[in-house]
Amino acid sequence: MSTRKPDLEERPWRQYICLACGLIYDEAEGDPDSGLPPGTRFEDIPDDWECPLCGVTKSDFELLEKQEITAAAPVGITTFSKVPGIVVVGAGIAGWSVVEAIRHLDAETPITLISACHGDRYHKPELSVALSRGQQPGDLVRESAAEAANRLGVRLLANTFVVGISPERREVRTTRGTVAYTRLVLAQGAKPALPDELPPSLCWRINDLADWSGLQQQLAAGPRRVAIVGAGMVGCELAEDLARAGHTVTLLDRQSHPLCGLIPPEAGQALQESLAEQGIHYRPDSQVKAVRADGDSKTVLLANGETLAVGQVIAATGLKTDNRLARQAGLAFNGGIEVDQELRSSDPWIHALGDCISLNGEPCRFIEPIQHQARTIAAAVLGVEAPAYEHRRPVVRLKTRSLPLVLHGLPKPDGRWAITQREGNSMVMEQRVGDTIVATLSLGQPMQSKAA
Amino acid sequence: MNNVAVSNPPLSPWADDAMVQAEVARVASEQLAPNAYRIDHEGYYPTDIMADLGQAGAFATHLDQHGSRFGLALSSMQEISRHCGSTGFMTWCHDVCGLYMEQSGNPALLERLQGHAAGQTFGGTALSNPMKALTGIEKMALKAKKVPGGYRVSGTLPWVSHIGPGQYCGAIAAVDRDDGSRSHEVMFLLDIDDRVPLRPCPEFSGMEGTSTWSVPLDDYFVSEDQIIADPARPFIQKIRGAFILLQVGIAAGVIQGSIDSIRAVENQLGHVNQYLHNRPDELQAEFDEVAKRAARLAETPYDGSKDYLLDVLELRAHGSELSLKASQSALLHQGARGYLMNSAPQRRIREAHFVAIVTPAIKHLRWEMDKLMREEVPA
């Protein structure tokens, strides 16, 4: 990425963070895709500029005050500590956010971070827009796990799976031995929920950087035909990203229109048309019966007897939280690990956040609440006074550039949708149950609203 | 007493759990405890004592025809291992051999099961190599060729325990196609008759009385009466959880025996032992947790789910780690008397290390769990 050095008399380059999706605008790098050359000051960005990741405007960005968080002394692997300290399971956005939030308040508490993968830090929402930007896996890594662990004074157990928890003795058992904790924070995330007809050996799921890297490598050779199963948010975003990257995309869903259940048919129709303009073929009412390997390519068999020959198949069929650890530890579980307002599980020494939790019986798998959750947990585990975590349903933003979509609230199956504004390709709709507005949706609108 | 086919659990001589437990405990404490050093160190192979254990019901209760009481089988194995880890290990060998015979559904093997379950005949298991081979850790040692009426098998199994002339063990051989590619595997009961020369193994640091031999096979004919499963993989898939779960009984006995040894010196040495870590109450609490999980998993030994297998592997690994910790702590608690060559804590150090290295060893278990936890992705 090209950057520019500030002139001598100028102040240093600043960075601004998108409150909605966490994207960082770096003045040194600019946003060349949107016509902002390296060295474009934030105040010089036009007001109608949009976040390249989620589409909100300038007003939803704020100055990123770099917290120079460092540990008192690096807590290396060999350091012996009488206090087991805090153990964080999972090195995704949630896991690292908790580590940073704890270090912000306390430089010395021993922290162990256990990660099933290498633990490098990257911004997960970028996975659904990175192919069309021609990015390589290394481009997405913002800080290597080793650098982050060193900076934050964290003992890192990478490529290590937690396989058991003993709440009574406060120990986690891993594939590299047993680790004791004074407090445990579960940030294990969720796993792709793959129906039986989509075999894991033939269908990609894009849920982490390693998954994405595998697909990226396969698609690097040149344009391919790709089938994406599931037209939810991830499916729609990936479809657009792949199409922009030059691939021929068929988007399959059992429903009549994309994002069914979240948006009404009129909006679905508009979204489908905008996808079609980019060459994405949306196939409604398509139930996949099986996927088979066929030499170098794959055959998708549909319930109606039709077949599709493609180079790659991507399953975007939703996520679920693995309940084995919670069950084994006796933690209350309801679609996710149940937590209270302090993000505490049914065991007082175990907290959880991010994709693996359920709040009032519902998982909430968005980026925006994670920072708040991390701060609440950090305060709770360090015994510092902090406001309870108040869960608000985040605004849903579909990162499709052709037809940006913003949804406030949670649509109900029995709600009535009505169009309140329409202008060209743009429309605003609202859903009411009785006289109450439960959700509003805007399509193709410049997104002026404040991020939740 | 066991010549009559037992099909109905209540008619079994071992129908009463409490009676089996009491009888097994009696034989173990009266006969195994005084002979443990001879067995471990001098190579005394205690088939006489095992016959009495068989009569007490130690080798039968996990079988379907005796009510599939895995919890009771585990508790028998624990009680035996508490006094002698070698015999505990052979109990496991014998138990899984019985499980192969019964689950095979082969009438010829079912006929032989009665005597086996009662401890009138003895047989072990030679699945260490194939279990590792089937998960990709090493190569299959035995090769089989299909011939009319059965297979011909060649190759050498390095260390097979609880076998001897006139005995038998479960074994697996790879069947290759003419072009050298793997067709499948066949599992069979290997009868140790005069076609099978048993070669002595080098001396081990312990567990010498387990009658462990190297078994070279040269064109050994396997008849249909000996077939356990053909192909073997689905069968192994089915019994794998039960196979590994039963091993936890050995670990449990070594742990319990170690805690016994610590408590035995508490009156005399408690005033200095209080400075040691891994005190008996801590060990007992951790052991109770392991035992609780084992009891739960023993209720569904043939649950084929990935989660169940992970739970079993994790429990087995935990059992190994706790055996190491408990046996070392027992020696430290007993001090010089525990360091005597013929002392129980000294022997249990070797037994615990055996539990930790016998297939699946701690490293294999972790490797396997890592593999199971990873999401499969397109190649």
Side-chain angles (χ1 to χ4, degrees):
Chain A
M1 214 168 273
S2 68
T3 56
R4 198 171 77 80
K5 285 210 163 72
D7 299 332
L8 275 179
E9 65 276 17
E10 285 177 320
R11 62 171 159 75
W13 299 127
R14 286 178 169 170
Q15 294 182 314
Y16 291 78
I17 186 164
C18 170
L19 295 175
C21 76
L23 175 122
I24 292 166
Y25 175 81
D26 188 330
E27 292 179 338
E29 292 171 7
D31 179 18
D33 287 351
S34 311
L36 304 179
T40 304
R41 292 288 183 187
F42 188 73
E43 49 272 25
D44 298 334
I45 298 176
D47 287 341
D48 62 354
W49 173 78
E50 291 175 357
C51 169
L53 198 52
C54 72
V56 298
T57 51
K58 239 180 109 169
S59 57
D60 285 315
F61 277 71
E62 72 176 25
L63 180 65
L64 179 67
E65 309 266 21
K66 269 260 177 82
Q67 295 168 353
E68 285 306 330
I69 305 163
T70 41
V75 187
I77 286 168
T78 52
T79 306
F80 177 78
S81 172
K82 291 286 266 185
V83 188
I86 299 161
V87 172
V88 179
V89 178
I93 291 176
W96 281 114
S97 296
V98 163
V99 170
E100 293 214 300
I102 294 168
R103 275 289 172 259
H104 187 56
L105 298 173
D106 182 314
E108 284 175 16
T109 301
I111 304 175
T112 301
L113 179 62
I114 306 175
S115 172
C117 62
H118 42 63
D120 288 345
R121 301 190 68 178
Y122 63 97
H123 194 57
K124 189 173 168 186
E126 289 181 355
L127 297 179
S128 56
V129 294
L131 279 169
S132 60
R133 295 177 176 177
Q135 285 174 305
Q136 301 285 321
D139 300 336
L140 294 173
V141 175
R142 294 182 168 189
E143 188 177 23
S144 80
E147 283 164 2
N150 202 37
R151 177 173 61 86
L152 295 164
V154 171
R155 172 195 184 211
L156 176 72
L157 293 177
N159 295 304
T160 302
F161 290 93
V162 170
V163 287
I165 302 174
S166 300
E168 282 149 35
R169 287 176 305 102
R170 291 197 236 163
E171 283 178 353
V172 289
R173 289 184 304 281
T174 81
T175 48
R176 296 182 201 276
T178 300
V179 180
Y181 63 84
T182 40
R183 302 285 193 150
L184 179 65
V185 180
L186 297 174
Q188 65 188 69
K191 286 180 172 178
L194 213 52
D196 290 342
E197 54 272 22
L198 301 175
S201 60
L202 298 175
C203 301
W204 294 98
R205 292 84 70 198
I206 305 304
N207 191 44
D208 60 36
L209 182 56
D211 296 340
W212 182 86
S213 305
L215 177 68
Q216 189 266 344
Q217 209 176 357
Q218 291 292 319
L219 294 176
R224 301 295 308 258
R225 298 174 70 84
V226 180
I228 299 176
V229 183
M233 294 185 57
V234 171
C236 288
E237 289 178 1
L238 283 173
E240 186 180 283
D241 189 43
L242 265 76
R244 281 171 176 262
H247 305 286
T248 307
V249 180
T250 305
L251 182 58
L252 301 138
D253 200 287
R254 286 181 295 190
Q255 308 296 336
S256 57
H257 65 266
L259 293 187
C260 198
L262 215 50
I263 63 173
E266 299 90 324
Q269 185 60 35
L271 179 59
Q272 190 178 328
E273 282 163 15
S274 104
L275 291 169
E277 279 166 24
Q278 298 174 73
I280 297 161
H281 178 40
Y282 177 75
R283 287 191 66 131
D285 311 312
S286 300
Q287 168 82 48
V288 175
K289 215 172 91 188
V291 178
R292 294 201 186 120
D294 208 354
D296 254 1
S297 61
K298 276 134 198 144
T299 304
V300 180
L301 282 83
L302 301 180
N304 66 4
E306 289 179 65
T307 61
L308 253 78
V310 293
Q312 300 295 339
V313 180
I314 300 170
T317 43
L319 296 172
K320 63 166 191 255
T321 303
D322 190 356
N323 69 354
R324 197 184 78 87
L325 279 182
R327 173 173 52 72
Q328 204 219 30
L331 303 181
F333 190 93
N334 183 7
I337 298 162
E338 278 187 15
V339 291
D340 64 14
Q341 293 226 313
E342 285 195 316
L343 284 307
R344 200 187 303 264
S345 75
S346 58
D347 181 286
W349 308 101
I350 304 177
H351 285 76
L353 79 163
D355 285 2
C356 70
I357 60 170
S358 78
L359 292 145
N360 310 319
E362 257 190 85
C364 180
R365 299 188 178 119
F366 291 92
I367 298 294
E368 195 263 334
I370 288 176
Q371 297 302 332
H372 307 288
Q373 295 174 356
R375 282 197 283 272
T376 298
I377 289 180
V381 298
L382 294 168
V384 177
E385 195 81 34
Y389 171 69
E390 270 180 59
H391 185 66
R392 275 171 308 189
R393 194 180 157 78
V395 179
V396 174
R397 294 169 206 278
L398 192 68
K399 298 190 284 292
T400 44
R401 290 193 231 174
S402 52
L403 188 75
L405 184 154
V406 182
L407 176 70
H408 294 257
L410 180 63
K412 301 275 187 296
D414 56 345
R416 285 170 293 99
W417 283 99
I419 298 171
T420 55
Q421 282 179 48
R422 182 169 223 160
E423 200 185 310
N425 279 337
S426 307
M427 64 172 125
V428 177
M429 301 182 73
E430 57 187 35
Q431 194 200 43
R432 289 169 189 265
V433 174
D435 290 334
T436 318
I437 299 171
V438 294
T440 57
L441 170 72
S442 63
L443 254 92
Q445 294 272 334
M447 298 177 214
Q448 298 294 358
S449 61
K450 272 285 201 194
Chain B
M1 66 190 272
N2 293 310
N3 294 334
V4 183
V6 183
S7 56
N8 199 357
L11 294 178
S12 158
W14 309 301
D16 184 340
D17 287 14
M19 200 146 89
V20 171
Q21 270 174 325
E23 268 300 283
V24 169
R26 186 186 61 77
V27 176
S29 66
E30 286 177 7
Q31 300 185 51
L32 277 180
N35 284 298
Y37 181 71
R38 271 178 76 204
I39 297 168
D40 177 72
H41 200 69
E42 294 167 12
Y44 166 51
Y45 180 29
T47 44
D48 53 343
I49 304 173
M50 289 189 77
D52 288 349
L53 287 168
Q55 204 168 29
F59 308 140
T61 59
H62 63 299
L63 299 171
D64 285 353
Q65 53 180 249
H66 295 289
S68 193
R69 287 169 292 166
F70 271 72
L72 182 57
L74 276 170
S75 103
S76 295
M77 207 185 305
Q78 174 183 332
E79 202 52 34
I80 293 165
S81 309
R82 185 179 186 175
H83 297 289
C84 174
S86 299
T87 312
F89 170 57
M90 289 189 285
T91 299
W92 172 77
C93 297
H94 199 87
D95 278 5
V96 288
C97 186
L99 190 133
Y100 306 154
M101 293 160 87
E102 181 175 63
Q103 297 297 322
S104 75
N106 183 338
L109 295 179
L110 285 173
E111 203 171 307
R112 298 170 64 176
L113 181 60
Q114 305 303 323
H116 180 86
Q120 290 157 354
T121 61
F122 296 105
T125 171
L127 257 51
S128 173
N129 158 260
M131 279 293 186
K132 280 183 271 182
L134 291 175
T135 52
I137 297 175
E138 62 187 40
K139 283 190 171 155
M140 198 75 100
L142 298 181
K143 291 284 174 68
K145 283 226 172 303
K146 186 96 186 89
V147 293
Y151 286 92
R152 287 203 169 270
V153 178
S154 296
T156 298
L157 293 164
W159 298 334
V160 183
S161 299
H162 192 40
I163 55 168
Q167 294 178 211
Y168 43 85
C169 62
I172 294 181
V175 185
D176 287 348
R177 298 189 192 89
D178 289 341
D179 64 2
S181 64
R182 177 68 40 88
S183 159
H184 64 284
E185 295 84 12
V186 58
M187 183 165 174
F188 58 98
L189 196 74
L190 169 62
D191 279 302
I192 315 289
D193 49 33
D194 38 8
R195 295 174 295 163
V196 185
L198 296 180
R199 293 206 197 120
C201 290
E203 188 185 354
F204 293 108
S205 68
M207 314 285 288
E208 281 289 272
T210 54
S211 194
T212 301
W213 303 88
S214 162
V215 185
L217 297 181
D218 182 17
D219 227 15
Y220 174 93
F221 177 69
V222 175
S223 75
E224 273 164 14
D225 281 353
Q226 291 169 275
I227 299 291
I228 293 169
D230 187 6
R233 275 179 198 249
F235 184 86
I236 293 299
Q237 193 68 32
K238 182 183 171 196
I239 62 147
R240 199 140 176 261
F243 174 97
I244 298 168
L245 175 64
L246 280 171
Q247 288 181 326
V248 175
I250 317 168
V254 173
I255 297 161
Q256 188 60 67
S258 299
I259 297 172
D260 294 344
S261 295
I262 296 173
R263 293 207 194 278
V265 295
E266 201 58 17
N267 275 342
Q268 303 129 280
L269 304 175
H271 64 295
V272 279
N273 280 350
Q274 61 173 314
Y275 295 102
L276 291 169
H277 55 204
N278 298 320
R279 297 279 290 143
D281 290 347
E282 292 167 52
L283 291 170
Q284 188 70 52
E286 187 168 352
F287 178 51
D288 289 348
E289 188 197 305
V290 167
K292 204 166 88 184
R293 269 157 54 211
R296 184 174 56 78
L297 294 174
E299 286 166 16
T300 54
Y302 298 110
D303 179 335
S305 70
K306 184 167 111 174
D307 276 8
Y308 181 80
L309 185 58
L310 269 169
D311 284 349
V312 169
L313 296 172
E314 209 276 296
L315 177 72
R316 167 83 173 86
H318 192 178
S320 292
E321 287 159 24
L322 186 54
S323 319
L324 293 170
K325 190 156 79 174
S327 66
Q328 191 197 32
S329 178
L331 198 147
L332 294 175
H333 276 80
Q334 286 218 346
R337 74 188 78 174
Y339 195 64
L340 292 175
M341 192 61 210
N342 64 357
S343 76
Q346 175 61 234
R347 188 188 72 248
R348 286 201 194 94
I349 291 274
R350 298 189 297 271
E351 291 172 350
H353 281 86
F354 178 81
V355 167
I357 59 146
V358 71
T359 307
I362 291 176
K363 58 190 175 182
H364 298 140
L365 290 162
R366 290 185 184 167
W367 184 85
E368 179 74 13
M369 285 189 282
D370 184 286
K371 227 168 58 144
L372 283 172
M373 293 291 286
R374 270 175 212 287
E375 298 270 306
E376 189 184 5
V377 292

